[in-house]
Amino acid sequence: MHIAHCKLKMKTTINILGCCVSRDLFGLFKGNGGFDIKQCVTNISPLSVCSPKLSENPICFESDFPNSNHYAQRCACLDLNKTVFDYLAQFDADYTLVDLGILLSIFTLKVRTPDGNFTYITYKDGLKQNPAFLENAPFDITEKFRFPDNKELFFEYIRQYAQLISEHIDENKMIILELPLTQRYIDENGMIQYFSAEEYSPDIPECASRSFDTSAISKYLKKAYRMFEAYFPKAHIIKCPDTEVLCNQNYKWGLHPLHYVIEFYQYALNAIRVISFTDDRKNEKIMLDSLRDTFTDLLMSKYSSVFGEYSLENLSVISSDTIRFGKHITLCFHGGGGTNSYTFQALVKRKNEVIWKNLGEFDGGLVKYKPVFCGAYEACIKLKDTNNVEVKKFFDFTVI
């Protein structure tokens, strides 16, 4: 008797070396989008990774950063002890996802050691949240800067960064994620706004007095990617959509030039699915190009107006504006525009009351409510999409 055996396909494993965007494109989706994330290192400056150690012995341990969470503690130690690639090498993942958003997301510190030598470290959360460490550190800070300041120095180190990566990661197993940079974002009310200098660089108070040109920074970032990708002709490249990608003030972790509308993360995640499930590189390119075209059209159709309002509409209704005592009123949930994946919250109260009664949260459909008193009532249905833009709609009804 012949017995057929089914081979269980394991999840594709991913290591990450980049900024928060590369981690978020998995973390924003249930079960990491179906992938198994192994080693993750984010927001460490390429200058720090490539520059000499501060000491032959470790200069810090996770316990030196008590005000930070475990992940921030670990990344601070990897940065300061210059052990990023030692950590990544602990697991040979199917793919390593790399981006250059690190150029924009963090500050680099130039420091002088007691023997008079200079090197670079990253001004990360571990240092920000634990100022006592820097006050007692075995080095002196001589300069603090961020790309594109000292851009020629960054370009020089990007070459070194690429060379170092090539010594540790097989380029056939490397995915490079190109990140967009935009001047605009969707605010908490769904209006499209331009970044101010203060919003773009909140950690640099003097930015308000500088000339601020996002397009120039975007040009330098594209140049950095071209230089970097030239070192990896066999790497898998996820190119930016061919249109503006707006940022999102309602993002889970707030407004930032690298916190995008949800469609960008959907696009990047789907591109990684294409790469991980396609063995033929020719077919992979065809599918990635098609996917890029699809999301370019989607982004253009939703966000193309120079000035205007986000298209999310709350189309919810109630069954009647008058009901008899002892009967139910029905609240029906419906929306249009936005990201087409909605959650609704239903609330009711008597007109003369202040506190709303929460009837719950729903993905759609309807909910019935039976008032316990006669008189005038008010209902509110809140609609929220996956960009966390919220639109409220109010209704009046009377119980007789």
Side-chain angles (χ1 to χ4, degrees):
M1 182 176 68
H2 176 72
I3 300 177
H5 294 277
C6 294
K7 183 179 180 181
L8 181 64
K9 181 170 178 59
M10 304 296 289
K11 288 184 179 180
T12 300
T13 55
I14 304 284
N15 285 347
I16 296 172
L17 177 62
C19 73
C20 59
V21 178
S22 287
R23 184 62 187 91
D24 289 356
L25 74 88
F26 300 102
L28 288 172
F29 302 96
K30 184 178 179 181
N32 282 323
F35 292 90
D36 185 4
I37 309 304
K38 294 299 185 181
Q39 310 298 84
C40 180
V41 181
T42 56
N43 297 342
I44 292 183
S45 170
L47 277 66
S48 176
V49 174
C50 298
S51 59
K53 290 185 175 182
L54 290 152
S55 169
E56 287 305 314
N57 299 314
I59 71 160
C60 65
F61 301 91
E62 292 183 7
S63 58
D64 291 318
F65 308 99
N67 299 327
S68 301
N69 61 35
H70 177 66
Y71 181 73
Q73 291 174 341
R74 184 177 69 213
C75 283
C77 289
L78 294 175
D79 177 59
L80 292 165
N81 295 327
K82 312 289 186 179
T83 53
V84 168
F85 284 101
D86 295 333
Y87 176 73
L88 289 174
Q90 292 176 15
F91 191 91
D92 184 19
D94 296 318
Y95 296 96
T96 298
L97 179 62
V98 181
D99 71 71
L100 294 184
I102 45 176
L103 297 175
L104 302 171
S105 62
I106 43 84
F107 288 90
T108 299
L109 302 179
K110 184 178 181 179
V111 300
R112 182 175 53 235
T113 59
D115 58 9
N117 293 321
F118 289 91
T119 189
Y120 297 99
I121 62 173
T122 310
Y123 189 53
K124 292 180 58 61
D125 287 344
L127 297 182
K128 295 177 185 177
Q129 296 163 357
N130 299 272
F133 179 85
L134 282 180
E135 292 171 5
N136 301 285
F139 53 78
D140 296 317
I141 298 171
T142 62
E143 192 176 356
K144 175 185 176 183
F145 56 95
R146 186 172 76 172
F147 185 83
D149 294 331
N150 291 356
K151 58 182 178 294
E152 295 308 322
L153 177 67
F154 274 102
F155 291 145
E156 175 188 336
Y157 268 87
I158 285 169
R159 297 183 182 94
Q160 296 183 35
Y161 189 54
Q163 179 61 39
L164 189 59
I165 289 174
S166 67
E167 295 171 5
H168 292 85
I169 300 172
D170 179 356
E171 66 176 305
N172 290 287
K173 300 167 65 174
M174 184 174 167
I175 302 173
I176 301 175
L177 175 63
E178 294 184 357
L179 301 183
L181 188 62
T182 181
Q183 299 185 58
R184 304 195 300 165
Y185 64 92
I186 300 170
D187 72 11
E188 57 188 2
N189 299 312
M191 300 297 293
I192 297 174
Q193 308 285 359
Y194 281 84
F195 276 107
S196 67
E198 295 92 333
E199 289 167 332
Y200 185 78
S201 298
D203 294 327
I204 313 179
E206 62 268 25
C207 269
S209 62
R210 295 184 181 183
S211 59
F212 181 66
D213 185 359
T214 309
S215 61
I217 302 172
S218 179
K219 178 183 70 175
Y220 296 133
L221 181 62
K222 289 176 182 178
K223 177 181 177 180
Y225 266 109
R226 288 196 301 270
M227 292 172 54
F228 184 75
E229 291 170 3
Y231 283 87
F232 305 104
K234 296 179 182 179
H236 310 265
I237 310 294
I238 302 176
K239 294 187 174 296
C240 287
D242 193 23
T243 188
E244 178 185 24
V245 179
L246 293 182
C247 293
N248 182 11
Q249 187 173 12
N250 300 292
Y251 191 77
K252 185 175 182 179
W253 290 286
L255 181 63
H256 188 278
L258 295 177
H259 289 171
Y260 307 113
V261 291
I262 193 66
E263 288 84 0
F264 179 79
Y265 301 95
Q266 293 169 336
Y267 162 64
L269 184 64
N270 280 312
I272 294 173
R273 287 171 176 157
V274 167
I275 292 167
S276 63
F277 291 107
T278 307
D279 294 329
D280 186 288
R281 294 296 288 265
K282 182 178 180 180
N283 286 337
E284 175 188 305
K285 185 179 185 309
I286 292 172
M287 295 173 70
L288 288 177
D289 287 345
S290 176
L291 188 68
R292 182 172 180 245
D293 290 343
T294 297
F295 275 87
T296 294
D297 291 344
L298 177 62
L299 288 161
M300 289 180 66
S301 65
K302 285 190 175 182
Y303 309 112
S304 60
S305 61
V306 176
F307 299 101
E309 189 171 356
Y310 189 61
S311 62
L312 183 63
E313 293 183 275
N314 191 339
L315 303 175
S316 302
V317 296
I318 62 173
S319 57
S320 176
D321 58 8
T322 305
I323 62 169
R324 291 191 174 277
F325 181 73
K327 299 295 183 180
H328 292 88
I329 190 165
T330 303
L331 288 73
C332 304
F333 309 121
H334 188 57
T339 55
N340 298 319
S341 181
Y342 310 128
T343 56
F344 299 87
Q345 183 181 15
L347 307 103
V348 295
K349 71 178 183 68
R350 298 177 71 186
K351 276 283 189 179
N352 61 351
E353 293 177 336
V354 176
I355 299 175
W356 292 85
K357 177 180 176 61
N358 185 0
L359 303 183
E361 294 187 357
F362 310 88
D363 293 331
L366 53 86
V367 64
K368 292 185 176 182
Y369 172 67
K370 185 178 180 179
V372 295
F373 300 101
C374 291
Y377 280 78
E378 190 174 11
C380 174
I381 298 177
K382 297 180 181 180
L383 162 64
K384 184 181 290 186
D385 70 355
T386 45
N387 277 325
N388 289 323
V389 176
E390 184 178 88
V391 179
K392 299 177 183 177
K393 192 170 184 180
F394 295 89
F395 305 88
D396 292 328
F397 66 94
T398 305
V399 182
I400 58 175

